[in-house]
Amino acid sequence: MKSTTTLTIIASSVSTPPPPLPKHTRTTPNPKQPPKQSKPPPLPSPSSSTKSHRPPLFSTFKWGEHRKSHTQINYYAELASKLAEDARFEDFFMIVETITSGADSSGVQAVEFSALLNAELVSKGVLCVIASDEGFQRLNRVLTGFQKLGLGGALEVLLSDKSVTYAIGRECRRSLKLGGVDEVVDLMETLSGLGLIIEDDAVEPIEVIRNCVNKRNPQAAIRYAGFCTRSDEAFCTAILEFGKRGDMASALTVFEASRHKLGCVNMYAYRTIIDVCGLCHDHLQSRSIYEELNAQKINPNLYVFNSLMNVNACDLSYTMNIYKHMQHLGIAPDIASYNILLKSCSLAARLDLAQEIYKEVEYLESIGSLKLDVFTYSTMIKVFTDGRMWQMALGIKDKMLETGVTPNIVTWSSLISACAKSGLVDQAFVLFEEMILAGCIPNSQCCNVLLHACVKALQYDRAFRLFQNWKNNSFQINNRNLTVGGSQIAINVPFKPTVSTYNVLMKACGTDHFLAKALMDEMETVGLSPNHISLSTLIGVYGGSGDVKSAVQVLKTMRESGVPPDVVAYTAAIKVCVKQRELNLAFSLFAEMKKYQIQPNMVTYNTLLRARTRYGSLIEVQQCLSIYQDMRKSGFKPNDYYLKELIEEWCEGIIQDNHRSQGELKNTSRKDLGRPHSLLLEKVASHLQKGTQSIAVDLRGLTKVEARIVVLAVLRMIKENYHPGEFMRDDMLIILGVQEVGTAVDKNEFDVKDAIIKLLKDNLGLEVLSLGPKILTEIRIKVENPFNSQPDLHETLEGTKLSTSPTRRPAAVLHRLKVTRRSLYRWLEKKVQ
């Protein structure tokens, strides 16, 4: 019943009644309404086999001896073509399947039926499908239907129509703009499955790959590269494009897929992935890839070695090892190899090795093995520039001109920078003029180097004149080859000042914050956005004029404008506060940095640690010691001597005879200048953080000078925390050392004991008792890491009373001193009075 209904709908679309269907598709007629019996139409002549004047896809076709009549086949071919024209491909496929599915020795094959389809009508229908809302999805279904029914010949003729391929390309590009890269790849994959590759006509491969990169979809890129005509190039392009975006993981995914799909070792792919490691700053990954090649006993070619050396140029030793291994394999280095070696020497500041390599290259050029290029000369100029050897750099330029090599913008920039770093501002301007006269157009970097040289040499007026000429798009230079009357020539400037330009000029403002603010306003007027360096420089200018409030306000303005201040901005503000003696504000800014999780740098820590020339209170000491400890935990190596001297002065202030005691201390401490003071400062910080709840001073591992400082620091803390009328709750215990039973007593412990007793009794008038040795059996002695804050021995003793460890450790003897509570109270009361 379903077939009858469908055929009725189909028949309504043509004027001629259909001939009878094959037997396997006929339905039983209704007995109440017997169908009319009609004779099949007569066999038409070859010249009029169909009423349609449109040409068939194939003009020549021979029917078999027992084939169906031409009238029936042509009728259904015409009917299917008209259905395709209306984009009714579901009905089209039903007709084709009906005609061809029962094909046997007397049936019709699909290839025979497709020969009679009208190419023009089918193309119109496909164009309608492409232009529909679900164009790609419907087109995929149509193409798959052609494939399933064996209409491959018709499909080839269809896709040879330029209007169809142009429409497919247009829709592919439109879909890519809308982010539909998966749909495009699906369509291309379907066409590839049909044996038809039209990617060059439909859309450029690079467009598809870049869209895969933008969507971070490596799987789509792998699928697309797998069926491209040049799969190796497509894979390498995808690897490189992912690398340019910094997506190392996706690049490696595509690289691994290329190894499996290409089925061979592709050196171009290895070179590309190693270059990507350089783009993503992951030189260790490049080494792993190279080691994999070695594990497979595959020797890379010259280009892979060059890429590997270039990526690892930051590690001179590794680069030289790769270079030697390349020579060991018999691979002769080219000029690019030597350029990379010179670059590595420049990064490592190995001027001597760079000169040796350069001499070797010159020798190879003299015998005709190599030809030095502009990169070789430019790299050597940069090497001499970094070494502040401007005369040698100028000598390289002369050699370039002698050999006929024209300097490029990099060469001239390096030469100008060499003179600028050496303070030769006039010579830098001469080179700038020579560059312009030689026909090499400068860039903004060259001009910024000149501006920086002027600012560094305090030639502020000259810097602003150069900047004004730059803004006027004209440089007035002297042509020494012309006559006096025409010595001045004007050169148009094709580039504009940058943010770096304004940042350099702001440093030339000194304390004129009005001029600095005007430069920032001008920067915004020309469409540039001030960066962190601009605002940090403005903070310094405000600080130079003594306007601390405006300097700190810049930090708030940065945060409100969506440019959160970084460590440079905060450090600049802290410097301003320290310079103007606003120390509380400086430490509050440091606390604000920690609140916003901004990691201070070395300059920040040193600025705060050197903020005070002396300490007046316990809180100030605790502040600086806290910053000192934070600095050490962050991995920075602080200068302990300055802080130690301030701590000494603060501690000695508790003794009335201050001048005599300090003098004695400084004379004694000279013997200990060679030893690191980290242990002393850590001990002081640890004891000052504990407060006066449990007064126990641990002097283990300290010299007598350091022990004196720690004891005085604890006494000063007790003094500042004492309130009149309060009584001391505990005696003060001093731990001198721990000695294992059966071992000799350390001589330093006797020296420390004598020095502390003398200090407490003679200088401070305190009562000191020497406690008898206490044998400890449950304490594990840890002295191997002196920088870890050791637990208070008093607390350790309390903890050992509850110990239930079944294994007894080696016994030890504890040596202690006790300062009585009564004497401490009298001393404090005397200080208060």
Side-chain angles (χ1 to χ4, degrees):
M1 196 64 189
K2 184 177 179 181
S3 299
T4 305
T5 304
T6 303
L7 291 177
T8 303
I9 295 173
I10 293 172
S12 65
S13 64
V14 293
S15 58
T16 306
L21 293 171
K23 294 181 180 181
H24 73 281
T25 61
R26 293 182 181 178
T27 58
T28 304
N30 190 337
K32 296 181 180 180
Q33 297 180 356
K36 295 181 180 180
Q37 301 293 330
S38 59
K39 298 180 180 179
L43 187 66
S45 62
S47 61
S48 61
S49 60
T50 177
K51 291 187 178 183
S52 174
H53 298 289
R54 299 181 179 90
L57 292 177
F58 292 45
S59 58
T60 59
F61 184 77
K62 294 183 180 181
W63 294 101
E65 184 179 356
H66 300 290
R67 300 286 175 172
K68 297 178 177 64
S69 67
H70 284 210
T71 303
Q72 290 177 305
I73 302 302
N74 285 325
Y75 172 80
Y76 286 107
E78 181 184 8
L79 178 60
S81 299
K82 290 182 69 64
L83 291 172
E85 182 184 19
D86 296 335
R88 297 170 60 184
F89 281 98
E90 291 79 3
D91 297 333
F92 170 85
F93 291 138
M94 184 179 294
I95 292 293
V96 176
E97 186 176 9
T98 301
I99 296 300
T100 62
S101 60
D104 50 16
S105 58
S106 61
V108 180
Q109 298 293 333
V111 64
E112 299 171 352
F113 184 76
S114 65
L116 299 176
L117 295 175
N118 192 295
E120 183 180 349
L121 299 183
V122 176
S123 296
K124 287 183 179 180
V126 171
L127 291 175
C128 291
V129 169
I130 295 173
S132 63
D133 294 337
E134 300 180 354
F136 274 168
Q137 296 179 4
R138 288 194 61 193
L139 182 59
N140 261 324
R141 291 198 295 269
V142 170
L143 296 177
T144 304
F146 270 89
Q147 182 186 29
K148 288 182 179 179
L149 295 176
L151 303 178
L155 193 59
E156 290 183 9
V157 176
L158 171 67
L159 295 178
S160 65
D161 188 345
K162 292 296 183 183
S163 62
V164 175
T165 56
Y166 176 77
I168 292 176
R170 184 186 66 248
E171 288 302 308
C172 284
R173 290 187 289 272
R174 185 185 68 83
S175 182
L176 288 175
K177 289 182 180 179
L178 298 176
V181 65
D182 288 311
E183 297 177 355
V184 174
V185 173
D186 288 341
L187 176 62
M188 294 294 181
E189 194 170 24
T190 300
L191 292 172
S192 176
L194 299 174
L196 303 171
I197 304 297
I198 63 169
E199 73 260 11
D200 294 330
D201 296 327
V203 63
E204 290 292 333
I206 187 64
E207 295 183 33
V208 181
I209 291 174
R210 283 177 178 168
N211 274 269
C212 294
V213 173
N214 292 336
K215 301 287 287 185
R216 292 187 176 273
N217 191 346
Q219 296 303 325
I222 292 170
R223 287 170 53 205
Y224 180 75
F227 56 74
C228 278
T229 307
R230 296 297 304 272
S231 289
D232 52 348
E233 292 183 3
F235 273 116
C236 292
T237 302
I239 294 169
L240 184 59
E241 291 298 323
F242 276 114
K244 289 179 180 179
R245 288 300 182 91
D247 192 352
M248 187 69 199
S250 297
L252 285 172
T253 301
V254 178
F255 172 69
E256 292 297 331
S258 70
R259 295 173 58 188
H260 296 292
K261 290 186 177 293
L262 296 178
C264 61
V265 177
N266 190 309
M267 286 298 169
Y268 184 39
Y270 275 96
R271 178 188 180 185
T272 304
I273 190 62
I274 289 175
D275 289 337
V276 166
C277 292
L279 293 174
C280 297
H281 309 288
D282 191 355
H283 62 280
L284 296 179
Q285 182 64 48
S286 68
R287 300 181 186 185
S288 299
I289 294 171
Y290 171 66
E291 290 169 2
E292 289 179 7
L293 276 175
N294 282 340
Q296 301 174 26
K297 297 183 179 180
I298 299 173
N299 294 330
N301 59 19
L302 173 64
Y303 305 104
V304 174
F305 273 120
N306 284 347
S307 294
L308 183 64
M309 289 193 298
N310 188 43
V311 171
N312 292 274
C314 57
D315 188 346
L316 179 59
S317 61
Y318 184 83
T319 304
M320 291 300 298
N321 287 335
I322 294 297
Y323 169 71
K324 292 176 181 177
H325 182 59
M326 178 175 65
Q327 289 183 315
H328 178 71
L329 295 176
I331 301 175
D334 60 358
I335 190 63
S337 308
Y338 287 107
N339 290 342
I340 294 168
L341 290 177
L342 290 174
K343 171 186 173 183
S344 185
C345 292
S346 174
L347 294 174
R350 286 292 305 275
L351 179 61
D352 54 339
L353 184 58
Q355 288 178 304
E356 291 181 9
I357 296 173
Y358 179 68
K359 290 179 181 178
E360 181 180 348
V361 174
E362 282 187 318
Y363 169 74
L364 292 174
E365 184 184 38
S366 65
I367 62 176
S369 298
L370 285 178
K371 176 65 177 176
L372 274 70
D373 58 11
V374 66
F375 300 105
T376 311
Y377 289 115
S378 299
T379 305
M380 278 306 301
I381 289 175
K382 187 178 184 308
V383 170
F384 288 123
T385 299
D386 294 339
R388 299 182 181 274
M389 302 174 66
W390 62 274
Q391 292 177 330
M392 299 292 291
L394 292 178
I396 296 294
K397 185 203 72 168
D398 295 338
K399 287 185 179 180
M400 289 182 68
L401 298 177
E402 290 174 2
T403 56
V405 179
T406 304
N408 59 13
I409 185 64
V410 178
T411 311
W412 287 111
S413 298
S414 298
L415 289 169
I416 294 172
S417 179
C419 295
K421 287 182 177 180
S422 301
L424 305 173
V425 182
D426 293 336
Q427 184 64 38
F429 272 89
V430 169
L431 289 171
F432 182 72
E433 294 173 0
E434 288 183 9
M435 174 179 63
I436 295 176
L437 294 175
C440 183
I441 303 300
N443 56 16
S444 59
Q445 183 180 1
C446 288
C447 295
N448 289 340
V449 170
L450 284 176
L451 287 174
H452 183 73
C454 294
V455 173
K456 187 178 178 181
L458 305 181
Q459 299 180 13
Y460 299 145
D461 292 340
R462 192 173 191 176
F464 278 102
R465 284 198 303 270
L466 175 63
F467 176 67
Q468 194 62 40
N469 291 334
W470 189 355
K471 287 198 302 182
N472 295 334
N473 296 325
S474 178
F475 285 135
Q476 301 292 330
I477 64 173
N478 295 319
N479 189 349
R480 296 171 176 80
N481 297 326
L482 299 179
T483 61
V484 178
S487 60
Q488 291 287 336
I489 61 175
I491 302 296
N492 292 330
V493 183
F495 51 89
K496 300 293 182 183
T498 63
V499 176
S500 299
T501 308
Y502 285 96
N503 291 344
V504 172
L505 286 173
M506 287 178 66
K507 294 179 181 179
C509 295
T511 60
D512 190 350
H513 60 272
F514 295 105
L515 180 57
K517 190 65 172 64
L519 285 172
M520 285 196 63
D521 294 339
E522 180 182 333
M523 195 187 316
E524 296 177 350
T525 302
V526 298
L528 299 175
S529 299
N531 57 14
H532 291 85
I533 299 177
S534 313
L535 296 165
S536 300
T537 305
L538 181 62
I539 291 173
V541 175
Y542 276 124
S545 62
D547 191 352
V548 179
K549 182 178 179 181
S550 297
V552 176
Q553 182 63 31
V554 174
L555 296 176
K556 184 178 179 181
T557 303
M558 292 176 68
R559 198 171 298 281
E560 291 175 351
S561 61
V563 185
D566 60 355
V567 62
V568 178
Y570 269 107
T571 303
I574 289 173
K575 279 184 175 181
V576 170
C577 296
V578 170
K579 184 177 180 181
Q580 299 300 323
R581 306 310 299 166
E582 295 283 351
L583 301 185
N584 291 334
L585 183 55
F587 281 96
S588 66
L589 289 177
F590 179 78
E592 187 176 309
M593 287 182 67
K594 305 296 287 186
K595 173 186 174 183
Y596 289 110
Q597 297 182 348
I598 299 174
Q599 177 61 45
N601 58 21
M602 188 73 172
V603 180
T604 315
Y605 285 118
N606 283 335
T607 302
L608 288 170
L609 289 177
R610 294 179 177 272
R612 291 187 172 92
T613 56
R614 62 177 301 168
Y615 297 125
S617 67
L618 174 64
I619 295 177
E620 294 175 356
V621 177
Q622 290 174 332
Q623 269 184 339
C624 286
L625 286 174
S626 176
I627 291 173
Y628 170 81
Q629 289 181 307
D630 186 75
M631 184 179 186
R632 284 177 50 81
K633 290 177 182 177
S634 300
F636 295 103
K637 186 178 181 180
N639 185 354
D640 300 336
Y641 292 102
Y642 179 77
L643 184 58
K644 175 180 176 291
E645 289 178 358
L646 295 181
I647 296 288
E648 288 177 2
E649 183 179 353
W650 179 75
C651 293
E652 291 293 326
I654 203 170
I655 304 178
Q656 292 179 355
D657 192 3
N658 196 26
H659 297 289
R660 180 180 58 81
S661 301
Q662 285 190 40
E664 292 178 359
L665 178 64
K666 291 190 176 185
N667 291 333
T668 310
S669 62
R670 295 181 186 277
K671 301 177 182 178
D672 304 307
L673 290 178
R675 121 191 201 103
H677 301 118
S678 303
L679 177 59
L680 168 63
L681 295 177
E682 288 290 340
K683 287 275 190 181
V684 173
S686 174
H687 285 91
L688 294 187
Q689 288 171 356
K690 291 178 181 178
T692 57
Q693 298 299 322
S694 179
I695 308 174
V697 185
D698 184 8
L699 303 181
R700 290 176 294 168
L702 299 178
T703 65
K704 60 181 181 180
V705 175
E706 295 169 341
R708 176 189 177 99
I709 295 174
V710 173
V711 171
L712 290 177
V714 173
L715 288 174
R716 180 143 192 174
M717 176 188 66
I718 294 172
K719 171 180 172 294
E720 295 196 15
N721 289 332
Y722 173 71
H723 300 285
E726 293 185 2
F727 293 93
M728 299 295 298
R729 293 185 300 175
D730 297 313
D731 296 327
M732 178 178 173
L733 289 180
I734 299 176
I735 312 302
L736 299 174
V738 180
Q739 169 198 358
E740 291 189 10
V741 174
T743 60
V745 179
D746 188 6
K747 181 180 181 300
N748 180 66
E749 186 178 318
F750 286 112
D751 296 337
V752 170
K753 180 178 179 180
D754 293 340
I756 296 303
I757 292 175
K758 181 179 179 181
L759 169 69
L760 295 177
K761 284 187 176 182
D762 298 346
N763 295 97
L764 300 176
L766 295 172
E767 183 181 2
V768 183
L769 301 178
S770 179
L771 300 180
K774 182 177 179 63
I775 298 179
L776 307 175
T777 58
E778 297 293 335
I779 296 179
R780 184 184 298 275
I781 304 169
K782 294 184 179 181
V783 294
E784 65 275 5
N785 189 355
F787 299 110
N788 289 339
S789 56
Q790 300 177 7
D792 192 342
L793 250 291
H794 183 74
E795 297 174 0
T796 306
L797 288 172
E798 294 295 327
T800 56
K801 296 178 181 179
L802 302 177
S803 176
T804 57
S805 175
T807 305
R808 296 182 63 85
R809 302 184 181 95
V813 177
L814 179 65
H815 300 281
R816 301 168 295 162
L817 294 176
K818 181 174 74 172
V819 182
T820 62
R821 176 180 52 181
R822 182 175 52 186
S823 65
L824 281 171
Y825 177 72
R826 287 199 304 265
W827 175 72
L828 291 171
E829 285 295 317
K830 183 178 179 181
K831 286 288 182 182
V832 172
Q833 293 173 4

Short mmCIF file of all heavy atoms in Angstrom, two decimals, residues 357-367 372 377 396 399:
data_model
loop_
_atom_site.label_atom_id
_atom_site.label_comp_id
_atom_site.label_asym_id
_atom_site.label_seq_id
_atom_site.Cartn_x
_atom_site.Cartn_y
_atom_site.Cartn_z
N ILE A 357 84.92 30.38 16.44
CA ILE A 357 84.01 29.87 15.41
C ILE A 357 84.01 30.80 14.20
O ILE A 357 84.01 30.35 13.04
CB ILE A 357 82.60 29.72 15.99
CG1 ILE A 357 82.59 28.66 17.10
CG2 ILE A 357 81.59 29.36 14.91
CD1 ILE A 357 81.29 28.56 17.85
N TYR A 358 84.05 32.09 14.46
CA TYR A 358 84.05 33.07 13.35
C TYR A 358 85.31 32.92 12.50
O TYR A 358 85.26 33.00 11.26
CB TYR A 358 83.93 34.47 13.92
CG TYR A 358 83.93 35.55 12.87
CD1 TYR A 358 82.88 35.69 11.97
CD2 TYR A 358 85.00 36.44 12.79
CE1 TYR A 358 82.88 36.69 11.02
CE2 TYR A 358 85.02 37.45 11.85
CZ TYR A 358 83.96 37.57 10.95
OH TYR A 358 83.97 38.56 10.01
N LYS A 359 86.45 32.69 13.14
CA LYS A 359 87.69 32.49 12.39
C LYS A 359 87.60 31.23 11.54
O LYS A 359 88.09 31.19 10.40
CB LYS A 359 88.88 32.40 13.35
CG LYS A 359 89.23 33.72 14.02
CD LYS A 359 90.41 33.56 14.98
CE LYS A 359 90.76 34.87 15.67
NZ LYS A 359 91.87 34.73 16.65
N GLU A 360 86.98 30.18 12.09
CA GLU A 360 86.82 28.94 11.32
C GLU A 360 85.94 29.18 10.10
O GLU A 360 86.22 28.68 9.01
CB GLU A 360 86.21 27.86 12.22
CG GLU A 360 86.03 26.52 11.51
CD GLU A 360 85.42 25.46 12.42
OE1 GLU A 360 85.35 25.71 13.66
OE2 GLU A 360 85.02 24.40 11.92
N VAL A 361 84.87 29.95 10.29
CA VAL A 361 83.99 30.24 9.16
C VAL A 361 84.72 31.07 8.11
O VAL A 361 84.56 30.84 6.89
CB VAL A 361 82.72 30.97 9.66
CG1 VAL A 361 81.85 31.40 8.49
CG2 VAL A 361 81.92 30.08 10.60
N GLU A 362 85.54 32.02 8.55
CA GLU A 362 86.30 32.83 7.60
C GLU A 362 87.26 31.95 6.80
O GLU A 362 87.45 32.15 5.58
CB GLU A 362 87.06 33.92 8.34
CG GLU A 362 86.21 35.10 8.76
CD GLU A 362 87.05 36.23 9.33
OE1 GLU A 362 87.97 35.94 10.12
OE2 GLU A 362 86.77 37.39 9.00
N TYR A 363 87.87 30.98 7.46
CA TYR A 363 88.78 30.07 6.76
C TYR A 363 88.02 29.24 5.72
O TYR A 363 88.48 29.08 4.57
CB TYR A 363 89.48 29.17 7.75
CG TYR A 363 90.25 28.03 7.10
CD1 TYR A 363 91.46 28.27 6.44
CD2 TYR A 363 89.75 26.73 7.12
CE1 TYR A 363 92.16 27.24 5.83
CE2 TYR A 363 90.44 25.70 6.51
CZ TYR A 363 91.64 25.96 5.85
OH TYR A 363 92.30 24.93 5.24
N LEU A 364 86.86 28.73 6.11
CA LEU A 364 86.06 27.94 5.17
C LEU A 364 85.62 28.78 3.98
O LEU A 364 85.52 28.28 2.86
CB LEU A 364 84.85 27.34 5.88
CG LEU A 364 85.15 26.27 6.93
CD1 LEU A 364 83.87 25.86 7.66
CD2 LEU A 364 85.78 25.04 6.29
N GLU A 365 85.38 30.06 4.22
CA GLU A 365 85.01 30.94 3.10
C GLU A 365 86.21 31.17 2.19
O GLU A 365 86.07 31.23 0.96
CB GLU A 365 84.48 32.27 3.64
CG GLU A 365 83.99 33.20 2.53
CD GLU A 365 83.57 34.55 3.05
OE1 GLU A 365 84.24 35.05 3.97
OE2 GLU A 365 82.60 35.12 2.53
N SER A 366 87.40 31.25 2.78
CA SER A 366 88.60 31.51 1.98
C SER A 366 88.92 30.36 1.04
O SER A 366 89.48 30.58 -0.05
CB SER A 366 89.79 31.78 2.89
OG SER A 366 90.12 30.63 3.65
N ILE A 367 88.55 29.12 1.44
CA ILE A 367 88.82 27.97 0.58
C ILE A 367 87.61 27.61 -0.27
O ILE A 367 87.60 26.59 -0.97
CB ILE A 367 89.24 26.74 1.41
CG1 ILE A 367 88.12 26.32 2.37
CG2 ILE A 367 90.52 27.03 2.17
CD1 ILE A 367 88.43 25.07 3.16
N LEU A 372 79.85 33.49 3.75
CA LEU A 372 79.27 34.19 4.88
C LEU A 372 78.09 35.03 4.42
O LEU A 372 78.16 35.70 3.37
CB LEU A 372 80.30 35.10 5.56
CG LEU A 372 81.18 34.44 6.64
CD1 LEU A 372 82.16 33.47 6.02
CD2 LEU A 372 81.92 35.50 7.45
N TYR A 377 77.43 37.90 9.90
CA TYR A 377 78.01 39.18 10.30
C TYR A 377 77.18 39.85 11.40
O TYR A 377 77.75 40.40 12.35
CB TYR A 377 78.11 40.10 9.08
CG TYR A 377 79.17 39.68 8.08
CD1 TYR A 377 78.82 39.25 6.80
CD2 TYR A 377 80.52 39.71 8.41
CE1 TYR A 377 79.79 38.88 5.87
CE2 TYR A 377 81.49 39.34 7.49
CZ TYR A 377 81.12 38.91 6.23
OH TYR A 377 82.08 38.54 5.32
N ILE A 396 83.58 44.67 11.94
CA ILE A 396 82.80 43.65 11.23
C ILE A 396 81.97 44.30 10.12
O ILE A 396 81.83 43.76 9.02
CB ILE A 396 81.89 42.90 12.21
CG1 ILE A 396 82.72 42.13 13.23
CG2 ILE A 396 80.96 41.94 11.47
CD1 ILE A 396 83.53 41.00 12.65
N LYS A 399 84.12 44.83 7.12
CA LYS A 399 84.35 43.57 6.39
C LYS A 399 83.15 43.20 5.54
O LYS A 399 83.29 42.68 4.43
CB LYS A 399 84.66 42.44 7.38
CG LYS A 399 86.04 42.53 8.01
CD LYS A 399 86.32 41.31 8.89
CE LYS A 399 87.71 41.39 9.50
NZ LYS A 399 88.00 40.20 10.36
#
